[in-house]
Structures are given as C-alpha cells and as structure tokens.
Amino acid sequence: MTAIPSPSQAVWHLGPLPIRAYSLLMVLAVAVGIWATQRRWTARGGERGTVGDIATWAVPLGMIGARIYHVATDWQQYFGPGKDPLRAFAIWEGGISIWGAVAGGALGAWLACRRRGIPLRDFADAAAPGIAFGQVIARWGNWFNQELYGRPTTLPWALEIDPAHRPPGMESTATYHPAFLYESLWDLGVAGLVLWAERRFRLDRGRVFALYAAAYTTGRAWIEWLRMDPAPVVLGLRFNVWTALLVLGAAVAYLTATRRTPTTDPRPAVRG
C-alpha cells in the first residue's frame, strides 16, 4: 500500500539551540504574507513601510490570539488532574488556531490602521491573498508535528502516522486522511480564486477579504468534519465547524449586503 510518510523528526539541535520545523515554517509563512501584502498595498498607491509597521502589531497579537483560542477550546490538554498548565505556553509544541490568529491579527491591524488613519477594510483587501499563501506554507508544520490528520483511510495518498501520535485506541491503524495537505491545497485554490475574482469583478471595500473568508471557511468546515482528534462538540458538530459556519455566514451576508455598492478602482488606496 502506498502512503505519504511522516517526517522522522521535527526538531534539530544546533548545540543547545533547538531548530523546529514548525517554527521555521511559521516564520516563512509570515514573511510571504507580509511580502505579498506589501506588493499589493504599494500597487494601490500605499506607502512603502506601512505594511511592515502594521505587521509589528498584527503578527504578535495574531500569534497570541491563535494560542489563546487553541488553549480555550482544547483546555483538557492543559488543565485538570495530571496535566501541566505551564504547557499552555509551549507554543513550540504546536497547537495554534487560525481562528484566533485572524481575530488577534485583525485587532492588531485595526489598532495600527487607526493610528495611521487607514481604513481597515482597504488593508484587509490587500492582505487577503497573502494570508491564504501564508496558510499554504504554515500547514506543512502540522505534517512535521504529525497533527491535523483526519479519519483512517487506505487511499493512495493516505498519511502514515507514527504510533506515538495516533489517537487512543487506534495504535494499530497506521494511515489517515492528510487533512493538513487538503487544507494547504484548498488555501492555494482560495488565493487563486480571490486574485481572479478581484480582477474579474473589481472587488473592493472589504469584499476581497470577505470572499477569502467565505471560500476558506467552506473548505475548512469539511476538513474539520474529517478530523478525529479530541475537540469540543456542540449539537453533534465540532466547535470549529460551528466557527467556520458562523464566519462563512457573516462573509456571505457582507458580500450580499454590498453587492449593489458602486465599485471603485481598488488601486488608489489611502497612502498611510
């Protein structure tokens, strides 16, 4: 049976310094996202350096939000009998959430945009494809950590998971759906869709970001349904499925409410 192998290790040591694949990919994802956003921002008439300044607020708050959301929704891993609460701060072990990252990053971007007098919706439109491209890269950190996989499968593209990382009671089941790969490919498609639709329909005023949110959450809801790692369940669905559906509904509502709004050329942005 063919299958995708998991990496044999996710951390390397340079003397006492651990080099973690997860961290390296996160740094690369952020760098690509900032680079793509900067190119789009300056193409709209924005000043160089603006994106970097906003990122100094958005990136740290995004990482904090990503960890807070993960710990809050998977609190059983860190709190309770036999658990070590200090592991809640061990972000290098994995365990961050895109929902918290976007919420925290949006808060940081809003604070920075407000200081510069820039409409957040204009910046969000410039950032949307870069966020998607960053997600394409960041998801491969889950591959190194042998996390974010789905239900058992024997498909040719199944993912091999080491016994130590398999769900309790399934130590003899070796292959699972590579949910991280599904999401990485989906994010690549989302980036392409957003770039195409922006040109085809001349989207602006927050509608580029709303389209990104709608497209991403459509795929994420299905991928969450595939997963089998422990997670809070509400009315028979994983909590993150409800989160995806809520964001999807909000994005579609915004796109619907603004569909008759006159479209302007999105390139002449506030210079910031």
Side-chain angles (χ1 to χ4, degrees), residues 202-225:
R202 297 182 65 192
L203 300 178
D204 65 350
R205 302 182 184 183
R207 286 178 283 193
V208 178
F209 187 85
L211 177 60
Y212 151 77
Y216 171 72
T217 52
T218 299
R220 182 59 187 262
W222 171 74
I223 291 167
E224 280 289 340
W225 176 78

Side-chain angles (χ1 to χ4, degrees), residues 93-243:
E93 295 180 356
I96 58 176
S97 168
I98 183 61
W99 311 115
V102 172
L107 174 60
W110 175 75
L111 291 171
C113 286
R114 186 178 181 185
R115 287 165 57 91
R116 281 180 164 266
I118 298 171
L120 178 61
R121 64 185 185 183
D122 288 349
F123 181 80
D125 281 348
I131 295 173
F133 283 127
Q135 289 174 272
V136 171
I137 297 168
R139 277 303 167 208
W140 287 86
N142 302 124
W143 180 52
F144 279 92
N145 281 2
Q146 298 195 45
E147 58 187 5
L148 190 56
Y149 54 86
R151 302 170 187 175
T153 183
T154 56
L155 289 169
W157 56 84
L159 176 66
E160 292 181 358
I161 297 295
D162 294 340
H165 297 279
R166 296 172 191 170
M170 303 194 67
E171 290 80 6
S172 61
T173 303
T175 57
Y176 301 81
H177 279 284
F180 85 91
L181 178 59
Y182 296 162
E183 185 165 339
S184 182
L185 294 175
W186 183 267
D187 292 336
L188 186 62
V190 169
L193 171 66
V194 168
L195 290 172
W196 170 81
E198 181 183 31
R199 292 186 178 184
R200 174 65 177 81
F201 302 106
R202 297 182 65 192
L203 300 178
D204 65 350
R205 302 182 184 183
R207 286 178 283 193
V208 178
F209 187 85
L211 177 60
Y212 151 77
Y216 171 72
T217 52
T218 299
R220 182 59 187 262
W222 171 74
I223 291 167
E224 280 289 340
W225 176 78
L226 269 182
R227 295 174 65 175
M228 56 182 301
D229 51 304
V233 175
V234 179
L235 298 178
L237 291 178
R238 293 166 64 94
F239 184 79
N240 283 342
V241 174
W242 287 112
T243 302

